Amino acid sequence: MKHILFTTALLMAASLTKGLAQDMSYKEPPKAIKEIALAKMPPSVLVSGDGKWLLELDDVPFLSVEELAKPEYKLGGTRVTDIFGPSRREGYSAARLLDVATKQTYEIAGLPADVNILEAEWAPGSSRIALMIREKDGLYLWMVNVAEKQAKQISRRKMNRTASQPGPLRGASPAIRANWVNDSVLIVPAVPNGIGAMPLPPAAPSGPVIQVSEGKADAARTYQDLLKSPYDEQLFDYFFTAQLVKIEPNKETELGKPAIYLQTRLSPDKSLLLTTTIEKPYSYIVPRSSFPKRVEVLDLGGKVVKEINRQPMTADIMGYDTANPYPRNFGWRADEPATLYWIEAQDEGNPRQHKVEYMDAVYQWQAPFTGEKQLVVKTPFRCRSIDWCDDQFALVTEHSRATRRMKISSFVPLQPEKGLQTIFDVSTDDNYADPGRPYKRSNQYHESVVYTNKQHSELLMIAPGGSPEGDMPYLSRYDLKKKTNTILWRCEAPYYETILDVINPEKLQLITARQSTDEPINYLFRDVKRKRSEALTNFPNPYPQLKEMKVEKIAYKRADGLDLTATLYTPVGYDKEKDGRLPVLMWAYPREYRNNEDASRVRGSKYLFTVINYRSPVFWVTRGFAVMENVEMPIVGVNGAEPNDDFIHQLTMNAEAAAKAIYDLGVGDTTRLAVGGHSYGGFMTANLLTHTHLFKAGIARSGAYNRTLTPFGFQTETRTYWEIPEIYNAMSPFMYADKLSGALLLIHGDADNNTGTFPIQSERLFAAIKGHGGTSKLVLLPYESHSYSAKENILHLLYEVDAWLQKYVAKPQ
């Protein structure tokens, strides 16, 4: 009996031990993976407005956990730091100038040692570059004199960049979006003088936090980082209040009073400043962009010339093609000295409740704003944007989410009776039909306007070039009268080449960014008419050890005949005849479509250079895996049905088709399959492991697994939980935790800020799996948001994924 009791106690202790915290020290992945993760990448590049210079910016690849652990304030849907800037921005560690004509590179003198450049922006005349430099106590404005290749600090005032959200993605322009009066004078938001110390939290609350619903529907998505208390409101005022300052050589002038700015924009003639400011009362259910706001025009002395608009808090309107019921998208006409324009919804922003002939109308109002507003044009669908040219020609882009259509039309401003002349009317899901964007030149005001001929009969179009061969970008001349498109230049295999800038539209001179499967992005000068090109840069391959890795775009069919593709990577030197079948890691992200034809289009390019960061599964090629990236997971709504009505069935068919394809190629061992994804891809992964028996393991990162926690919609789903509870439940892997097949690794940033993907999503799914005896592991990365930043966390993430794959997938079972 004593033996039985002792054995029982040991078993109980072992069971309890499994529930205790595991070793929580940081780990690193194998050397082959770590070397790739830490490889130095080529710089980001910004082209000057005149096309004569490239600014090269070396990326800071990682933050540290210590940096993430510094104070961060989550206010109004935004995260900011105590130096009045956006949080979690890596920035740039060096800057250089490259002369396009001579190909010579110049270091920029005068920059601080160990500089951290948060943002950079070319002046409109290309003689200066503004730099926002991050120091320990604040953000400071510097200026580069291009002719002298010299940088210097132009103001000792601390800048306020809390409204600079979200941060630029890698490869996107890290623009300051300053208001340039000329190349030496600009208007920027600064920290107000005498602002004092940050408000201290109360020793105890002064009372409860109360919210009230009084019979009016105010639905909202599951936003994060919202205001939660009166103290949060004090912090919001403290951090977001800015003083506009005009900075000239040896002179600074404050404009107006401190305020919380959403937008500031100089008129083309640089005489007036359009501002949008936030007002009280603040909201605890929507982010700051939906707070009450006031739109005004100031002169350059800071005096209010005219109040243009004032509106209350706006809540979300659920459904397709909804919009702000109040005037929106205020801006200046780029082709006139000082004429405001904006958009007004004609259906109160709710097309389901109000059926109208025209959803939107565009109005304008000329300075000095003493007359009446004028109707510019009306649009049957939602107006997305206006591209101005002159008083006889402009373009409007309309968009319909309900029908997945996009229209680009020409019109004569202020003559709405002439209507719209449709140029392009295409499905937004049909990448083959994507016409691209019209090239825009800089006019006398240094504003971008549509480039066309005197008769307004031609456009210069820059298109992504979707085709059955993949994306092959091109430059074309579109004849508006004949409706014909003449391709002037197109990238050629074995390269993927995009147009970075058209530096001379008459001579057809371009700067392009070119890459291939074994060459990273490098920049070229192209003279299309002379059929001549010159390399501007020669950045090396950051992963020389993978240069012989085989990369191919594979095509296959789903069980219902739908065409699918994936990018397949196999290890260096792999020979399927000699080496046999490999374990397989699939990586995917589901997307919704309205018809099978659009869903079956080939997307992406087979000539892309593989950039391997923490989001990439390609690391595991070095560990003997066949990796299938961008595995297409289309969810198609047909015959009037919504895509999600058939989500699980189609998701399963997609996975089965991919597994069959890799097996039929003789490469993959379908008894050793793993699947993974991030965000909606993590959600997909958990669904595949709870609804199929295909996979030995899954890696689900930062996903949402219980759709009842996102009840007012998610992704492209606009129906609420109460309208379709059976679909929300069916799509929630949490509801099927007892059906888990395979081993599920859950990874989540413990400070995730993405709408809907609260860390509790992973915590509750793990608890449900554990409660039913499933195989799972939960890894919460300290201080990480929806995207991961810290070097320690990223290396540990790679360690966890590698250990999981080695344990459950790599070896034959």
Side-chain angles (χ1 to χ4, degrees):
M1 177 61 69
K2 288 182 180 179
H3 176 75
I4 293 173
L5 289 174
F6 180 69
T7 303
T8 302
L10 283 176
L11 291 172
M12 290 178 64
S15 178
L16 288 171
T17 301
K18 290 180 180 179
L20 296 177
Q22 303 296 303
D23 178 9
M24 294 189 185
S25 59
Y26 279 117
K27 306 291 192 304
E28 292 187 350
K31 181 180 178 182
I33 291 178
K34 182 180 176 181
E35 286 179 348
I36 294 171
L38 301 183
K40 180 176 174 57
M41 300 302 295
S44 298
V45 167
L46 294 178
V47 184
S48 63
D50 60 10
K52 295 180 179 180
W53 295 92
L54 301 185
L55 175 66
E56 296 180 3
L57 295 164
D58 290 345
D59 297 323
V60 174
F62 307 104
L63 298 176
S64 68
V65 170
E66 182 180 356
E67 288 172 299
L68 290 188
K70 291 178 181 179
E72 177 183 66
Y73 304 94
K74 304 171 183 179
L75 304 166
T78 301
R79 296 181 175 185
V80 299
T81 66
D82 56 6
I83 60 170
F84 297 87
S87 68
R88 303 169 185 273
R89 292 272 289 274
E90 290 91 344
Y92 304 90
S93 61
R96 295 172 299 279
L97 285 165
L98 187 150
D99 187 324
V100 170
T102 66
K103 319 299 182 297
Q104 187 170 350
T105 300
Y106 299 91
E107 297 296 327
I108 297 173
L111 290 172
D114 300 321
V115 66
N116 187 290
I117 301 168
L118 183 71
E119 299 163 319
E121 184 173 296
W122 281 97
S126 302
S127 68
R128 301 284 191 279
I129 305 168
L131 302 177
M132 193 66 64
I133 291 183
R134 177 165 43 198
E135 298 182 15
K136 289 183 179 180
D137 67 334
L139 303 171
Y140 295 94
L141 188 63
W142 287 59
M143 193 82 82
V144 177
N145 183 312
V146 175
E148 298 175 2
K149 291 49 168 207
Q150 178 76 34
K152 70 175 182 178
Q153 187 172 341
I154 61 171
S155 174
R156 282 308 303 167
R157 289 195 70 147
K158 296 177 182 178
M159 299 293 113
N160 188 321
R161 304 302 296 163
T162 52
S164 176
Q165 303 283 344
L169 300 174
R170 290 301 189 207
S173 171
I176 296 174
R177 297 178 180 87
N179 289 287
W180 295 86
V181 179
N182 57 50
D183 273 22
S184 299
V185 179
L186 66 171
I187 297 171
V188 290
V191 176
N193 286 328
I195 192 172
M198 185 182 77
L200 295 174
S206 59
V209 175
I210 299 172
Q211 298 185 47
V212 177
S213 177
E214 296 180 327
K216 180 183 177 182
D218 281 333
R221 296 238 177 184
T222 48
Y223 297 114
Q224 302 204 49
D225 300 339
L226 302 178
L227 299 180
K228 297 178 180 178
S229 67
Y231 177 61
D232 277 358
E233 294 189 50
Q234 293 179 42
L235 292 177
F236 183 74
D237 284 337
Y238 179 79
F239 283 113
F240 282 84
T241 298
Q243 173 67 59
L244 294 181
V245 181
K246 182 168 68 172
I247 298 179
E248 307 174 66
N250 306 314
K251 182 182 178 181
E252 295 183 7
T253 307
E254 293 188 350
L255 305 183
K257 297 179 180 179
I260 299 176
Y261 292 95
L262 273 177
Q263 173 189 241
T264 61
R265 180 75 187 274
L266 269 175
S267 61
D269 68 357
K270 312 301 185 280
S271 67
L272 299 170
L273 186 66
L274 172 67
T275 67
T276 302
T277 54
I278 290 174
E279 299 187 318
K280 293 183 176 181
Y282 302 147
S283 171
Y284 290 14
I285 64 170
V286 292
R288 64 190 174 95
S289 58
S290 296
F291 288 3
K293 54 183 69 76
R294 180 188 301 193
V295 181
E296 295 177 315
V297 172
L298 314 180
D299 63 24
L300 295 199
K303 180 182 177 181
V304 176
V305 174
K306 190 73 175 179
E307 180 179 298
I308 305 298
N309 180 257
R310 186 180 289 189
Q311 58 184 257
M313 185 203 85
T314 54
D316 293 344
I317 301 174
M318 307 310 295
Y320 289 122
D321 301 321
T322 58
N324 185 343
Y326 304 101
R328 68 184 195 273
N329 294 20
F330 289 86
W332 296 105
R333 278 190 59 165
D335 61 323
E336 295 195 352
T339 299
L340 283 179
Y341 78 97
W342 65 89
I343 305 168
E344 293 186 15
Q346 305 298 287
D347 55 3
E348 298 183 19
N350 193 335
R352 289 204 294 184
Q353 290 189 4
H354 305 282
K355 304 297 182 184
V356 294
E357 183 178 2
Y358 297 99
M359 280 190 179
D360 282 335
V362 180
Y363 291 92
Q364 73 170 44
W365 201 4
Q366 290 181 319
F369 314 111
T370 54
E372 298 294 322
K373 69 180 183 181
Q374 297 171 288
L375 177 63
V376 177
V377 70
K378 290 183 176 181
T379 59
F381 300 108
R382 284 282 171 244
C383 177
R384 176 190 284 179
S385 64
I386 301 283
D387 292 314
W388 303 101
C389 180
D390 54 36
D391 60 0
Q392 293 298 309
F393 187 82
L395 299 177
V396 59
T397 300
E398 301 170 76
H399 183 263
S400 171
R401 285 189 63 199
T403 60
R404 304 284 182 100
R405 299 207 68 77
M406 184 269 290
K407 289 176 64 177
I408 299 178
S409 305
S410 64
F411 67 95
V412 180
L414 301 181
Q415 297 186 39
E417 69 279 0
K418 290 189 175 181
L420 299 174
Q421 306 301 314
T422 300
I423 302 173
F424 304 108
D425 183 354
V426 299
S427 166
T428 55
D429 289 336
D430 185 0
N431 60 314
Y432 291 5
D434 186 347
R437 56 184 172 87
Y439 166 70
K440 295 195 288 186
R441 63 177 177 85
S442 182
N443 65 6
Q444 69 270 33
Y445 305 117
H446 289 294
E447 299 286 339
S448 294
V449 294
V450 175
Y451 175 80
T452 183
N453 58 1
K454 292 181 180 179
Q455 296 76 31
H456 301 127
S457 62
E458 292 182 347
L459 295 174
L460 205 58
M461 300 296 295
I462 301 172
S467 75
E469 297 300 312
D471 292 348
M472 302 294 281
Y474 63 81
L475 177 73
S476 68
R477 181 175 287 114
Y478 188 83
D479 189 309
L480 295 171
K481 294 181 179 180
K482 297 179 181 178
K483 305 288 185 182
T484 56
N485 201 33
T486 303
I487 294 179
L488 305 172
W489 170 86
R490 188 167 199 159
C491 83
E492 297 179 351
Y495 294 100
Y496 175 75
E497 190 170 353
T498 58
I499 297 172
L500 202 63
D501 194 20
V502 179
I503 58 177
N504 190 317
E506 287 80 20
K507 295 182 179 180
L508 295 181
Q509 293 176 340
L510 321 173
I511 291 179
T512 64
R514 189 176 73 173
Q515 59 187 297
S516 68
T517 55
D518 59 359
E519 294 178 21
I521 292 177
N522 274 288
Y523 300 90
L524 283 76
F525 168 83
R526 282 196 174 275
D527 189 319
V528 173
K529 286 188 174 180
R530 296 182 180 181
K531 297 182 179 180
R532 182 173 63 88
S533 66
E534 298 177 28
L536 300 176
T537 62
N538 186 28
F539 303 130
N541 186 338
Y543 322 117
Q545 66 271 50
L546 296 180
K547 188 170 183 179
E548 302 303 321
M549 173 181 66
K550 186 177 180 181
V551 185
E552 58 181 316
K553 196 88 167 176
I554 62 171
Y556 52 97
K557 288 185 180 292
R558 204 164 76 171
D560 60 358
L562 193 67
D563 291 319
L564 302 174
T565 63
T567 302
L568 173 62
Y569 302 83
T570 49
V572 173
Y574 170 69
D575 183 332
K576 65 183 177 182
E577 302 299 332
K578 296 180 181 179
D579 302 325
R581 295 183 179 274
L582 302 175
V584 179
L585 173 59
M586 298 181 188
W587 208 259
Y589 191 98
R591 299 191 184 277
E592 300 85 1
Y593 299 92
R594 284 290 179 186
N595 60 68
N596 287 334
E597 184 179 7
D598 288 348
S600 65
R601 300 300 198 199
V602 175
R603 289 173 173 80
S605 171
K606 56 188 174 183
Y607 303 120
L608 287 174
F609 180 76
T610 303
V611 176
I612 308 175
N613 54 34
Y614 80 88
R615 293 179 179 272
S616 174
V618 180
F619 289 104
W620 284 277
V621 167
T622 68
R623 301 286 280 163
F625 277 73
V627 174
M628 298 175 71
E629 191 178 26
N630 298 321
V631 178
E632 288 193 293
M633 293 279 174
I635 310 297
V636 187
V638 295
N639 300 323
E642 292 293 325
N644 286 338
D645 293 352
D646 194 31
F647 181 85
I648 297 298
H649 175 234
Q650 292 194 43
L651 188 69
T652 301
M653 283 199 297
N654 293 329
E656 290 173 342
K660 183 177 184 301
I662 196 68
Y663 181 83
D664 289 347
L665 284 173
V667 172
D669 180 352
T670 50
T671 68
R672 292 185 289 161
L673 296 181
V675 64
H678 186 89
S679 194
Y680 208 54
F683 162 77
M684 168 207 74
T685 298
N687 266 307
L688 286 171
L689 263 68
T690 52
H691 290 283
T692 76
H693 296 277
L694 291 170
F695 300 99
K696 293 295 183 182
I699 297 97
R701 297 194 322 223
S702 299
Y705 310 109
N706 183 347
R707 284 299 165 198
T708 68
L709 300 180
T710 57
F712 286 103
F714 56 92
Q715 293 296 106
T716 62
E717 182 58 71
T718 63
R719 297 169 294 179
T720 70
Y721 173 77
W722 296 274
E723 292 176 278
I724 50 168
E726 68 285 353
I727 291 176
Y728 272 68
N729 289 328
M731 293 180 66
S732 298
F734 175 83
M735 306 299 180
Y736 300 90
D738 59 328
K739 303 292 193 298
L740 183 73
S741 172
L744 181 61
L745 175 61
L746 293 164
I747 300 174
H748 219 116
D750 73 1
D752 195 320
N753 68 335
N754 185 55
T755 300
T757 55
F758 298 88
I760 197 174
Q761 291 273 9
S762 287
E763 293 169 347
R764 291 293 179 263
L765 179 58
F766 174 75
I769 293 170
K770 184 175 176 61
H772 287 92
T775 302
S776 186
K777 184 177 186 178
L778 172 62
V779 179
L780 294 175
L781 302 175
Y783 304 108
E784 292 291 359
S785 185
H786 195 60
S787 296
Y788 311 147
S789 302
K791 176 181 176 180
E792 299 92 331
N793 283 330
I794 289 172
L795 291 178
H796 187 86
L797 174 151
L798 297 173
Y799 160 81
E800 293 284 3
V801 173
D802 184 71
W804 201 254
L805 294 174
Q806 296 303 316
K807 182 175 182 178
Y808 293 106
V809 185
K811 298 176 183 178
Q813 302 296 313

